[in-house]
Amino acid sequence: MGARMSADQHADVNIELNEIGHASGPVLERLACPLRFVLATGASLGNQGDEMEQGRTVLAPIVARNPNLAISAKVASNHTAILRKDHFAVARAVREVAAAGVRTVD
């Protein structure tokens, strides 16, 4: 779908994703099941300088407050290539979640 979207539509989607990401902090802090992140560190189309890294910094304090959350890996690819180039890191994160198990709430 991305190739069929206009520049304005891409911008709207990115703005909305940033808003969702910002609002997800309280949800992540309360998450009671294991969750692992694989962070892409490569440059992304449309971002300038270290904008992506600045965005990722908000994750560190949330991970520090919730023991169910962890950063499994930081990889060199960007977010559009992470599954193709860093699938081993993603698979390792999935295995970490499986090993952590899921607590049930009664």
Side-chain angles (χ1 to χ4, degrees), residues 1-66:
M1 296 239 354
R4 296 185 189 125
M5 294 169 61
S6 69
D8 286 340
Q9 289 171 318
H10 274 286
D12 289 343
V13 167
N14 284 327
I15 290 168
E16 185 175 357
L17 285 172
N18 287 334
E19 291 169 352
I20 291 168
H22 179 72
S24 66
V27 174
L28 291 173
E29 288 180 6
R30 293 189 313 268
L31 202 62
C33 63
L35 177 67
R36 299 297 179 265
F37 294 93
V38 177
L39 302 180
T41 61
S44 296
L45 184 63
N47 289 311
Q48 300 174 7
D50 65 346
E51 288 175 344
M52 293 298 288
E53 187 60 33
Q54 289 175 3
R56 287 187 287 268
T57 60
V58 301
L59 192 56
I62 295 170
V63 168
R65 288 190 292 269
N66 186 337

Side-chain angles (χ1 to χ4, degrees), residues 36 72 89-99:
R36 299 297 179 265
S72 179
V90 173
R92 188 170 43 255
V94 170
R95 286 191 295 273
E96 289 173 11
V97 169

Side-chain angles (χ1 to χ4, degrees), residues 58-92:
V58 301
L59 192 56
I62 295 170
V63 168
R65 288 190 292 269
N66 186 337
N68 293 309
L69 308 180
I71 297 172
S72 179
K74 287 181 92 171
V75 297
S77 61
N78 67 24
H79 67 280
T80 61
I82 197 166
L83 292 176
R84 181 170 30 93
K85 293 183 176 181
D86 292 298
H87 54 277
F88 290 117
V90 173
R92 188 170 43 255

